[in-house]
Amino acid sequence: MGIQDGLDYRGEHDFCQMTKLVMSQGLFLEGDIFGQHMIQTGSAGRPTGYNVALIEADRIGSAIAGVTGQDTPTMIGGCVINSAGQVTGYQLRDRGPYGQFTNPRIIPASDMAHVKDTGRRVDSYRGVTRLKSVLDAIRDWKETTAAQVLSAKVHSKHAIINKVSSGGMQTTAFGGHPGAETRPNQLGNEESTVEEVGDQLISYMFPGEEKTVLNAQTPSDGWLNLMEMTVAHIARGCGLPFSVVWRMTGSGPAVRADMEEADRRFLSMHRLLIKSWYRPIGARAIRAQIDAGLLPDHPNWWKIGAKKPRKQSVDFGRDMGVAINLMDRGVLDEYDFCETWLDTDFVEVANASGRAAKLFADIAEREGVSRPD
């Protein structure tokens, strides 16, 4: 069993896809998400494998039955609390018919990875959705969007406004343009008021009549402003600049400042994932493989790390040049430089450089080439 493939208990996602769900559905949409450690054992009780069962946030709750429940001094939001206020377990429920929850049971906290961001509330045991500040606005957005779509559909059908003295449409001639207006000419015969020339139409009207092509002004500026205000609130809830979430505006320095702010936010979320997701899952997976005899034991097996996300930049060459100068002056160390700009680990780079140097030395010795002093 590898850490990448086969980790999902349901067998649907690899570790990267599970991590994406933890971020998108868990931290951003629902506020938190859970991963239950599932140790597989053989007939003799020896561990044979390890999986993680992702659990959506609403399956952890205080309700014994149904969909609503009441917190108690020992259970808050489905979290079992001891006298010191520490979480010792979680009440997990199964999904039943008609939106009900069934089969409540307590899972020890040691068997659960709880990914949440409670940096904005000291006493919170559960995470809060990043959309909390725009829930009401999104309902308004949904209603106004439906109205704008309906207006666009009506305008798309209503392409031309035709003002005629009779106030209505004339009868259609059998020999004229299909569906076109007709009127009697000076001889009393019906003639079409529309002439078809290729893909175009030519209209004929009496003096005083008017035909106007409709120019739909949808969506309106007010609706666009409401949409941008909602996106701005979503960006604030995510801790990201509006320009990064919606679209880049402004000059170079302003864009760089927004990208720097976004990088700090991404790094903060990365640290949260290391603490709440990578380390608990990675350590359990490695320990299970050691116990199953698939990996050799190591005193530092529990030390789990993860590479930082690659730095986002609108001028990669310029910013990387600045980073190289900082590294040369000792302000930025090699570890941070490799992780931030090269998306790799410094130890791997150093090992690769060492292997390359040894290869050059071996070739030089084999070819009889002396090395410079």
Side-chain angles (χ1 to χ4, degrees):
M1 188 277 298
I3 188 65
Q4 172 66 11
D5 300 319
L7 188 62
D8 185 12
Y9 183 71
R10 299 177 179 87
E12 297 180 2
H13 308 289
D14 60 25
F15 185 67
C16 288
Q17 292 171 327
M18 294 173 69
T19 303
K20 290 179 181 179
L21 288 173
V22 168
M23 287 296 300
S24 60
Q25 180 179 352
L27 291 178
F28 282 95
L29 184 60
E30 297 180 353
D32 56 2
I33 196 169
F34 299 82
Q36 185 177 0
H37 305 296
M38 312 292 287
I39 304 295
Q40 313 301 326
T41 57
S43 57
R46 181 182 178 88
T48 59
Y50 168 77
N51 299 100
V52 179
L54 284 179
I55 299 172
E56 296 184 4
D58 60 341
R59 289 185 58 198
I60 302 294
S62 301
I64 300 300
V67 294
T68 59
Q70 185 175 2
D71 290 338
T72 65
T74 58
M75 181 179 293
I76 299 177
C79 302
V80 181
I81 311 300
N82 62 15
S83 59
Q86 299 171 326
V87 178
T88 60
Y90 301 92
Q91 180 168 267
L92 173 64
R93 295 90 50 87
D94 296 329
R95 296 193 188 278
Y98 310 109
Q100 303 292 310
F101 293 104
T102 61
N103 189 27
R105 67 269 191 196
I106 302 299
I107 306 297
S110 58
D111 292 337
M112 196 81 78
H114 185 191
V115 185
K116 64 184 185 302
D117 184 5
T118 57
R120 301 185 181 187
R121 292 191 59 190
V122 177
D123 293 332
S124 177
Y125 290 100
R126 299 294 301 271
V128 180
T129 173
R130 296 293 182 181
L131 304 178
K132 63 182 184 302
S133 61
V134 294
L135 290 179
D136 293 334
I138 286 179
R139 295 187 182 98
D140 298 335
W141 191 7
K142 181 179 179 181
E143 294 175 358
T144 55
T145 300
Q148 290 290 327
V149 171
L150 179 59
S151 175
K153 288 181 177 180
V154 171
H155 283 84
S156 67
K157 294 179 179 294
H158 201 176
I160 295 179
I161 300 176
N162 192 4
K163 298 179 181 180
V164 298
S165 58
S166 62
M169 185 175 180
Q170 306 292 333
T171 60
T172 302
F174 291 103
H177 179 73
E181 301 175 2
T182 63
R183 59 165 54 96
N185 57 19
Q186 295 178 352
L187 300 177
N189 299 323
E190 293 289 326
E191 65 179 12
S192 176
T193 62
V194 176
E195 179 183 358
E196 186 173 1
V197 181
D199 294 333
Q200 308 299 320
L201 297 177
I202 299 177
S203 296
Y204 297 91
M205 293 173 288
F206 284 126
E209 296 180 345
E210 181 182 355
K211 187 174 289 187
T212 304
V213 177
L214 181 64
N215 184 15
Q217 299 295 326
T218 54
S220 64
D221 292 340
W223 182 82
L224 293 174
N225 292 334
L226 173 63
M227 181 180 63
E228 290 194 350
M229 182 187 70
T230 304
V231 175
H233 284 295
I234 294 176
R236 179 180 292 273
C238 295
L240 295 171
F242 173 77
S243 61
V244 175
V245 175
W246 189 238
R247 60 172 176 265
M248 287 291 180
T249 57
S251 59
V255 172
R256 290 191 181 91
D258 286 347
M259 293 302 298
E260 288 289 340
E261 182 180 350
D263 274 330
R264 289 192 292 270
R265 179 57 184 159
F266 294 148
L267 183 59
S268 174
M269 291 188 290
H270 179 68
R271 293 194 184 106
L272 175 63
L273 283 178
I274 291 178
K275 173 186 176 183
S276 304
W277 179 248
Y278 292 138
R279 285 178 179 170
I281 302 302
R284 288 294 187 106
I286 293 175
R287 185 70 255 176
Q289 289 187 341
I290 293 175
D291 294 340
L294 301 176
L295 286 178
D297 201 355
H298 192 278
N300 295 324
W301 64 267
W302 53 274
K303 294 183 178 181
I304 307 297
K307 294 187 297 184
K308 293 188 295 185
R310 185 172 180 175
K311 187 177 181 63
Q312 302 297 316
S313 174
V314 295
D315 191 349
F316 188 81
R318 173 185 178 277
D319 293 340
M320 188 175 184
V322 173
I324 292 176
N325 291 332
L326 293 177
M327 184 176 61
D328 293 339
R329 289 171 171 79
V331 178
L332 180 68
D333 60 53
E334 291 83 354
Y335 290 91
D336 287 338
F337 176 81
C338 289
E339 286 189 347
T340 303
W341 294 101
L342 302 181
D343 195 24
T344 187
D345 184 72
F346 174 72
V347 176
E348 297 177 0
V349 175
N351 288 335
S353 300
R355 289 191 297 268
K358 185 177 183 302
L359 176 62
F360 291 145
D362 293 342
I363 295 175
E365 182 178 357
R366 184 176 66 247
E367 299 295 332
V369 179
S370 61
R371 291 180 297 177
D373 296 333

